[in-house]
Amino acid sequence: MAQRVFAINRLRSLWPGLLAAALVAALSLGTLGAVALRAESFSALSRFDWLAVRFTVVQAALSAALSVLFAIPAARALARRSFPGRGLLITLLGAPFILPTIVAILGLTAVFGKTGFVSVLLSWAGLEPISIYGFHGVVLAHVFFNLPLATRLLLQGWGAIPAERFRLASALHFAPGDIFRHIELPMLKEIVPGAFTVIFLICTTSFAVALTFGGGPKATTVELAIYEAFRYDFNLGKASLLALIQVLICVVAALTSLRFRVPQMGQGGLDRVVQRFDARTIRGLAFDLFWIGTVSLFLLTPLLAILLRGTAGISDLPASVWSAALRSLATALGSAGLAILLSLALALSALRWRGLEVIGMSSIAASPLVMGTGLYIVLFAVTDPAEWALLITALVNAVMSLPFILRALSPALAAVERDYGRLSDSLGLTGWARLRLVTLPRLKAPIGFSAGLAAALSMGDLGVITLFARPEAATLPLQIYRLMGSYRMDQAMGAALLLLGLSLSLFYIFDLWGRRRA
């Protein structure tokens, strides 16, 4: 019987995963090679380019450190408290991760800009308004995006601590400091380094934040320097060298993150409800309420500002905004469909060869701008690349979302194979029949979540489309950026509210479909 199962398992085809891995490798490394081959010279990088490298590393490290530092007390407070609306609050705190970058930028500007709420309060107090542009603006925006991610990772870590440990700590009359030192601190030592490196990686490849809040020699990231080298100077040699440096930075960070893991919920206990006896003091309650309130205020106020100011401007949107919204919808749906196909092919084939999943995850270390530049060079020889701008945007966005989708699909697929693999093999179910009858019905929930995530991320992308989109073929994020550049802020806020609604609706519809059809 064992020989029979092994023989049928060998019939699983690797070619879909190999094709998907080849496409990812071609976009991640092949486009970099195309840029390098097209370059006329590889002159040494200037002092300003090395300043961009240093700025990238420093701001990414500081953004990751602050995100994790503020997430620790916030996650601890959410883990220790139970109150009406807690689940909704945790869901809302995760919204900035799928929030379109340009929408978040407008929200942060409305709160912390020169005419924002904070500056108005400072002027009433007789103080000078703050400036959101420069180094501190980039860090502030990155903390806004990544604080929810760090909070969710740490909250999962607190949820993984068995309830029996807290019951034992109560029986031993542990003080709150003892509980933190002996129970919570070991968990933090395990999770914090991994969370830090993941957020560092995300901040390293950030583009839209640096484009809006950065700029100039002292506030330019490597990704923004690549864009400027291609768009303004057409210096492909410099662009390829900067891309190589960014890949090296990301590879080092990614390899570091592989040393750490995020524990699964509820391991090592009897799944009892956690009772935090150390949180019943007035001091503990005040501490938790302060951090829950502060983090909620920081994350939700920019969203509220978009709702308030966007409602007034949405009725005055030009026709170009609505047509850009339709183009963004088509691009997002195409990107989500392609991302699901690629991730399924990689995840299924990775059951036999783990290296295919690693290739799919490698896109997190690549530069989407370099991908777009390489595709531009390749297409320029045969056609006008501007005609393929939306298709290229959808393709690059699909590949860039693979690391997040594979994180959701691979564990679920492994569980399906573990529970139903031998039975399927014994019944002779292979190929398309096995995929249709066994695998896909049990993957609908993670597929719906992944499709919604890919669509939302693509909907709000402001990256590749900036390279070669024609004025009449802009997506909604690019159209919002142009409205901001022409100081039509009311219309920009209205368009941002439209983009926010479309992005969250796509995510909700796909996720709801997956959960209901699961």
Side-chain angles (χ1 to χ4, degrees), residues 34-371:
V35 173
L37 291 175
R38 182 66 172 77
E40 297 179 356
S41 64
F42 293 93
S43 56
L45 299 180
S46 67
R47 172 177 172 269
F48 297 107
D49 296 325
W50 288 112
L51 286 176
V53 174
R54 187 181 69 175
F55 178 84
T56 300
V57 175
V58 172
Q59 64 83 20
L62 183 59
S63 300
L66 291 176
S67 299
V68 174
L69 182 64
F70 294 139
I72 291 175
R76 186 170 186 254
L78 289 171
R80 297 202 304 179
R81 300 296 164 185
S82 178
F83 51 88
R86 177 180 178 273
L88 177 61
L89 177 60
I90 293 176
T91 301
L92 290 175
L93 292 181
F97 185 70
I98 62 172
L99 191 69
T101 307
I102 194 67
V103 174
I105 288 171
L106 278 171
L108 290 172
T109 304
V111 175
F112 298 100
K114 290 185 177 180
T115 59
F117 301 150
V118 175
S119 294
V120 171
L121 293 176
L122 290 176
S123 64
W124 286 350
L127 302 175
E128 291 292 329
I130 61 175
S131 175
I132 197 174
Y133 300 99
F135 177 81
H136 54 282
V138 173
V139 173
L140 177 69
H142 283 158
V143 172
F144 174 79
F145 280 113
N146 295 295
L147 177 58
L149 175 61
T151 303
R152 294 296 293 269
L153 290 175
L154 294 174
L155 188 60
Q156 184 175 344
W158 255 286
I161 301 176
E164 291 75 19
R165 296 188 183 179
F166 294 105
R167 294 171 64 91
L168 178 60
S170 177
L172 296 175
H173 302 289
F174 273 22
D178 297 325
I179 292 177
F180 179 79
R181 183 168 61 254
H182 295 290
I183 298 178
E184 297 173 321
L185 187 58
M187 177 273 297
L188 291 175
K189 289 181 178 178
E190 182 180 15
I191 295 182
V192 165
F196 174 87
T197 51
V198 168
I199 296 174
F200 176 87
L201 201 63
I202 294 174
C203 295
T204 300
T205 57
S206 173
F207 170 71
V209 170
L211 179 66
T212 307
F213 290 146
K218 295 182 178 181
T220 298
T221 61
V222 174
E223 192 80 355
L224 183 56
I226 293 172
Y227 169 78
E228 292 173 347
F230 173 74
R231 187 63 185 268
Y232 300 122
D233 304 328
F234 205 72
N235 190 338
L236 298 181
K238 177 189 291 188
S240 60
L241 286 176
L242 289 170
L244 283 174
I245 293 174
Q246 178 168 285
V247 168
L248 289 176
I249 296 173
C250 293
V251 166
V252 171
L255 291 177
T256 304
S257 67
L258 293 177
R259 298 181 54 190
F260 308 98
R261 65 182 181 90
V262 177
Q264 299 298 316
M265 297 290 289
Q267 60 181 9
L270 301 177
D271 294 333
R272 293 192 175 118
V273 176
V274 176
Q275 297 182 13
R276 297 298 300 268
F277 303 97
D278 60 308
R280 295 180 178 178
T281 63
I282 298 298
R283 182 178 179 182
L285 177 61
F287 180 85
D288 292 345
L289 290 179
F290 170 79
W291 280 106
I292 292 175
T294 301
V295 171
S296 300
L297 190 66
F298 173 66
L299 296 177
L300 299 182
T301 302
L303 298 181
L304 181 61
I306 291 293
L307 291 176
L308 294 178
R309 296 186 60 178
T311 304
I314 198 170
S315 59
D316 190 31
L317 294 179
S320 59
V321 171
W322 297 103
S323 59
L326 291 178
R327 283 189 289 270
S328 290
L329 274 175
T331 304
L333 293 175
S335 178
L338 183 58
I340 293 298
L341 290 176
L342 291 175
S343 58
L344 278 175
L346 289 168
L348 288 168
S349 299
L351 293 174
R352 289 186 57 190
W353 184 26
R354 184 73 174 177
L356 291 177
E357 183 179 352
V358 176
I359 295 176
M361 298 288 294
S362 65
S363 62
I364 198 171
S367 166
L369 292 180
V370 173
M371 291 185 189

Side-chain angles (χ1 to χ4, degrees), residues 18-35 359 362-363 366-367 370-372 374-375 378 395-396 399:
L18 292 175
L19 289 178
L23 177 62
V24 174
L27 288 174
S28 301
L29 300 177
T31 52
L32 178 59
V35 173
I359 295 176
S362 65
S363 62
S367 166
V370 173
M371 291 185 189
L375 291 173
V378 172
L395 177 61
V396 173
V399 173

